[in-house]
Structure formats: C-alpha cells, structure tokens
C-alpha cells in the first residue's frame, strides 16, 4: 500500500510540473492525502518560481561568483565576508584538532594522574616511536675543562665510611647515595665496602666489580674519595662496632638538612664516622637538584664495571643478536619467580596441594611474625593480587607477550635465579617462546669460571645484557628492574622497557568471559604508555627508575 500511495503522489506532482521529474522516489516525499491541500494553495506560486529555483546551483547563493550586473554591490560584499569567515573558522578548527592530537593527554600510572605523550608513529614491537623520544637528552655527565673549587683532603669536614649492603644493585644505589652525602657534608668519602648479607653470601670487594681508578678520577671535581681509612687513624676496629664512631639514627629517605643538622657536627668532632645502616637513607625530592644530578653522574658515568665484565657482556649480546644466523633483535626478560621471592610475596599461586603445604611451612619458618597462625593469609593473597603486587608467573608472562604481538620465534634472554617449580613452572613460557636462553647456555663453563668466584660478577653480566637489549621486560619490582629502566630512559627513551600492569592483568586473567580479542586490545592499549617513554616526575618519585627532571635536559 505504501508503494501505491507514493506512485499516486508522484503522478499528481508530475502532472502539475512544467519539467519532467526523476523516476526515483525520494524518501522525503509526503503522503498524497496529507499534501493535497497544501499543493492546491501553493500551486500558483510554484508555477511561477519552481522552474527558476530548480535551475539554481549552490553557487547562486554567493552572488560574487555570478557575473550578473543585477546583483547589488552590498550583497556581494556581505557574501564575500561570509565565505572568508567560514574559511578562517575552518582553518582554526583543523589546527585545533591537530594540536589536540599531538598534545599530551592525562593518564593514570600507579594511581597518579600524569601528562602522557601521544604516540604519533605506527607502533613497533622493538622500539619506541622516534618522535616521542627526541625531546630530552642526558645532561648529568662531567664537564671537562671546568675549574674545581673542591677543598683538599685536609680541609674537608672529615671522613665518612659506609657498608653497601644487599645485592649488586642495592649496593650500587648505596654507593651513589654515599657520594651525594659526602658532597652535602663537604666530607671525604672512604671507598665503600660491599658488605656480605644473609642472601647474597659473597665476599666481593669494590675493586672486584667496579673500575676504582675511573670512579675516583671521574668524580675528582665533585667529591674527595680515598681508597682506604687514613693511616693516622689507628682504631680501625671501632668503625661499625663503636657507638662513638657510628651514626645509627638516620631515617629512611632523609632530607639533606638532616645530615647537615645531625651528622655534620659529629663528623667535625670525631673526624671519621661510619653511617649505619645506609639502605635508602637519602630522599629524592627533599634534596637540592644538583645533588640528584650528582647521583646520576655516579650511576651512569662514574660506576663502570671492570673491562673483563664489559667484554664478556658484549660477547653475550653479540651472540644474542646473531642466534638466527642473521642480525636479529632480542628481548631480555627479568623473571623474578625464585622461591624466596614467591615466599616473601605471600601471594597464592597455582600448584599442587603438596607445593602449597611446603610453601606455608617455608613462610612460617622464614617470616613467623607475618605468618602468625596463617588464618589471614588467603584474604591477604587475594588483596595483593588485586592490587598488582604479586610476581607474574612464567605462564602469565608468556600470554602477555603473545597478546602484545611478539611471535613464537622471538629471541629471549632470561635473567633469573632458580625458578620456583623448576621446568614444570617454566613449561608454558618455553612452549610459547621456545627460543629462551640464559648466560649459562650462551657461554661455556670455561668462559664463566672466572666470574663464578663472585655472585655479583654474574649479576653484572645479566645487568649489562638486559641493559643493551632491544626490549626489556620486568615481571616484578626491585632494584635490578628499576635501575635498568632508568638507565635505558637516560640513554634516550628509544629502547622499550615494558612494565606490565599487573593489577589489570590479574583482573583480566580472572575474567572467565573475556575473549582473546578483548584481552589483546586491553593489553595493547594499557601498555602503550608503559614502555619507558618520557614521564613527568612527581612527589616521592624514584630517581633510579625515572631520572627525567634532575638528570635530563630539554633537547
């Protein structure tokens, strides 16, 4: 019936029109019964104007485009002004849109809202977009040729001595902080001692891992450094054992002013003082910017590994880049899933009942105060996983990397201790990425025998191979990962350093209704800004992971 009504309407209109109409019906034509009266009333006017109106083009509404002397000059000027206004408004709109596309946008990282850069280029699996990495350059290096106003050793306020505790990377941070504190106090720094602890049972000395000559020479215009305790000080056994010679009340992340008010007077009085403990005893945003820049100078320029460590690491890097017979990129994966890390996390992981019982016993023995009676641990484990504070399992890492687009053939260097659960735990990762390799598989026993004397030497090899990789992936927090990410940022933000959003991943892994396509989209979108791109610093930021503001300058 609708088709008949349309045909009737078209027929009546065609008959009254002096021109032949299109045979195609328009969806804007009204029903014949509702338009008859209006057509009758308007027939006279339409017969006079319909033909002329249909012949008009869009340009006829702008008189200055028509060569017609009857058009008034006033109307022509008005229309010209209107078109110019429309063109200008259009240009402003286009520029505004382009500016918004290029401008940073607000994003949330670790619960803090930041200005994040937009990625302008097509994403790459192996490097950050060039346009997003050219705005900053490193500027913490030493300026040769400058005049040093450093006082002589006898004119400083005294000597400070520290034990750098923990593993290699915690020791590295302590050394950087020791140089900074010596600068704050105008003191002479005695070469730090690398202290053995319960986990890292190692007797490595500073000179067994770092180039001492380079360290002292590079910082000669900043801080006075001596290799050993002065000969005139005969009571060397008192250091770290005598209360009179040890400052023990330094709070964590202490400001520079604390050292000036509380430590400096004691150094001036006793001439030599030991600082203990010294783990994380200097803040970041409560010290002068030049002190933070000095810490970066120590970390990125003054602290160099011994030449034999550097050479072996370069050899491992070369082998990783040529595993396919041709030049290939490689990924470095810092897999933190050792028994101690799993136990300390107090998170729940997939495993047999026997594994869970043994882990509970291990936790009760190692951390009795946290374990208590064990009744609260299940709720604690759920909360920590929800907040993204649990180490990623090897299988979870494999799924995330595949969702990011890394193919099965990806060459992966694994920096890890002994993985909890052994080969069974590693099986999902190895099945999805069979080209996994460690330094023990890349190098012969003869090549590594000299490095096995010191655990920190082996850790240094892992550090350098990860630092020079095309893509670095961390799976849990810690000094190793944040120092690697910070150094790669300092090198120019070009190399990808992926920091998985474990909170989001936990939510996605726990959703039984989420399809693969949705999961892939979540992973890709979430991690666009978690690849080591430039980030603004914020209060209580970690200098070692993000050296942007104090140690880098606008390019």
């Amino acid at each position: 019936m609708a088709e008949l009504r349309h045909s009737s309407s078209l027929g009546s209109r065609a008959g009254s029109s002096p021109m032949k109409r299109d045979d195609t019906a328009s969806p804007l034509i009204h029903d014949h019964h509702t338009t008859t009266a209006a057509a009758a009333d308007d027939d006279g006017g339409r017969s006079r104007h319909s033909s002329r109106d249909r012949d008009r083009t869009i340009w006829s509404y702008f008189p200055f485009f028509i060569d017609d002397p009857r058009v008034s000059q006033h109307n022509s000027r008005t229309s010209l002004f209107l078109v110019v206004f429309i063109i200008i408004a259009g240009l402003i709109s286009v520029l505004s849109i382009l500016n918004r596309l290029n401008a940073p946008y607000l994003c949330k990282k670790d619960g803090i809202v930041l200005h994040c850069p937009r990625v302008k280029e097509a994403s790459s699996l192996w490097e950050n977009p060039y346009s997003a990495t050219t705005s900053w350059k490193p500027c913490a290096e030493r300026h040769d040729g400058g005049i040093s106003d450093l006082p002589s050793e006898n004119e400083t306020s005294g000597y400070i001595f520290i034990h750098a505790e923990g593993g290699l990377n915690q020791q590295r941070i302590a050394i950087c902080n020791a140089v900074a504190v010596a600068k704050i106090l105008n003191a002479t720094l005695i070469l730090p001692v690398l202290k053995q602890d319960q986990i890292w049972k190692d007797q490595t000395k500073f000179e067994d891992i770092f180039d001492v000559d380079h360290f002292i020479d590079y910082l000669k215009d900043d801080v006075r450094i001596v290799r050993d305790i002065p000969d005139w000080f005969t009571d060397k056994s008192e250091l770290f054992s005598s209360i009179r010679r040890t400052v023990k009340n330094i709070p964590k992340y202490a400001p520079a002013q604390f050292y000036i008010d509380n430590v400096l007077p004691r150094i001036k009085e006793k001439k030599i003082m030991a600082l203990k403990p010294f783990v994380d005893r200097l803040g970041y945003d409560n010290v002068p910017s030049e002190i933070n820049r000095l810490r970066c100078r120590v970390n990125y320029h003054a602290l160099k590994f011994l030449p034999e460590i550097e050479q072996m690491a370069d050899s491992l890097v070369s082998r990783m880049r040529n595993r396919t017979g041709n030049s290939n990129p490689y990924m470095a994966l810092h897999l933190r899933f050792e028994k101690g890390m799993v136990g300390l996390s107090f998170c729940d992981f997939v495993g047999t009942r026997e594994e869970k019982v043994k882990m509970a016993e291990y936790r009760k023995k190692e951390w009795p105060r946290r374990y208590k009676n064990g009744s609260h641990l299940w709720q604690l484990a759920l909360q920590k996983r929800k907040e993204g504070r649990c180490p990623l399992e090897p299988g979870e890492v494999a799924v995330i990397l595949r969702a990011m687009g890394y193919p099965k053939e990806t060459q992966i260097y694994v920096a890890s201790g002994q993985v909890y659960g052994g080969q069974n735990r590693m099986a999902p990762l190895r099945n999805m990425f069979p080209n996994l390799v460690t330094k023990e598989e890349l190098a012969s026993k003869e090549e590594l025998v000299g490095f096995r004397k010191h655990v920190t030497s082996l850790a240094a090899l892992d550090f350098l191979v990860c630092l020079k990789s095309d893509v670095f992936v961390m799976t849990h927090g810690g000094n190793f990962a944040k120092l690697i990410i910070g150094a790669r940022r300092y090198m120019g933000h070009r190399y990808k350093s992926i920091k998985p959003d474990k909170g989001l991943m936990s939510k996605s892994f726990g959703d039984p209704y989420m399809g693969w396509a949705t999961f892939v989209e979540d992973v890709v979108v979430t991690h666009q800004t978690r690849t080591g791109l430039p980030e603004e610093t914020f209060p209580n930021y970690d200098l070692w992971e993000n050296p942007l503001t104090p140690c880098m300058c606008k390019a």
Side-chain angles (χ1 to χ4, degrees), residues 1 281 292:
M1 292 298 293
R281 301 295 155 169
N292 280 333

Side-chain angles (χ1 to χ4, degrees), residues 295-315:
R295 293 156 100 179
C296 289
R297 188 173 303 131
V298 179
N299 187 27
Y300 303 127
H301 299 283
L303 276 177
K304 287 183 64 177
F305 293 114
L306 291 175
E308 52 266 33
I309 297 177
E310 297 271 1
Q311 291 167 10
M312 188 66 222
D314 287 341
S315 178

Side-chain angles (χ1 to χ4, degrees), residues 84-146:
V84 171
F85 175 78
I86 292 174
I87 293 173
I88 293 174
L91 288 173
I92 293 174
S93 299
V94 170
L95 291 174
S96 176
I97 292 173
L98 291 175
N99 186 51
R100 289 189 178 187
L101 289 175
N102 293 334
Y105 65 98
L106 291 178
C107 68
K108 183 175 288 187
K109 183 175 179 63
D110 298 330
I112 299 174
V113 178
L114 302 171
H115 289 281
C116 294
R118 295 186 183 271
V119 178
K120 303 177 185 179
E121 303 170 25
S123 60
S124 166
L125 289 176
W126 296 105
E127 58 186 14
N128 283 321
Y130 179 78
S131 57
T133 62
T134 56
S135 56
W136 294 88
K137 64 179 181 180
C139 60
E141 67 275 8
R142 179 182 65 181
H143 297 289
D144 294 326

Side-chain angles (χ1 to χ4, degrees), residues 278-388:
F278 198 66
V279 177
D280 297 328
R281 301 295 155 169
L282 184 63
Y284 302 120
D285 55 347
N286 52 7
V287 301
S289 59
E290 60 267 22
I291 295 298
N292 280 333
R293 193 172 298 112
L294 175 60
R295 293 156 100 179
C296 289
R297 188 173 303 131
V298 179
N299 187 27
Y300 303 127
H301 299 283
L303 276 177
K304 287 183 64 177
F305 293 114
L306 291 175
E308 52 266 33
I309 297 177
E310 297 271 1
Q311 291 167 10
M312 188 66 222
D314 287 341
S315 178
L316 295 177
V317 170
S318 177
R319 294 172 194 180
M320 282 302 302
R321 294 198 186 281
N322 293 278
R323 295 198 72 219
T324 61
N326 297 314
S327 179
N328 60 265
Y330 76 93
M331 174 189 294
L333 175 63
H334 185 220
L335 189 58
R336 298 205 69 189
F337 207 76
E338 306 90 347
K339 182 179 179 179
M341 177 55 61
V342 173
L344 181 61
S345 71
F346 277 83
C347 294
D348 186 63
F349 297 97
V350 176
T352 64
R353 179 173 295 181
E354 182 182 359
E355 282 181 322
K356 292 180 182 293
V357 170
K358 288 184 177 180
M359 178 54 67
E361 293 174 351
Y362 173 69
R363 287 170 172 167
K364 184 176 181 179
K365 176 184 176 182
E366 296 293 330
W367 302 280
R369 291 184 179 180
R370 291 185 62 187
Y371 187 86
K372 298 179 182 178
N373 61 4
S375 60
H376 68 295
L377 295 183
W378 175 245
Q379 188 63 35
L380 174 65
L382 290 176
Q383 183 66 24
K384 293 189 73 172
R385 186 164 292 277
K386 181 179 179 181
E387 295 172 355

Side-chain angles (χ1 to χ4, degrees), residues 456-492:
T456 46
S457 296
L458 294 174
L461 292 178
D462 279 340
F463 185 92
L464 289 172
V465 178
C466 289
L467 179 65
K468 298 178 181 181
S469 64
D470 297 275
V471 172
F472 172 71
V473 181
M474 62 171 287
T475 59
H476 197 52
N479 294 319
F480 183 98
K482 68 183 181 183
L483 282 171
I484 291 287
I485 293 175
R488 289 163 70 88
R489 279 180 164 148
Y490 187 76
M491 291 159 58

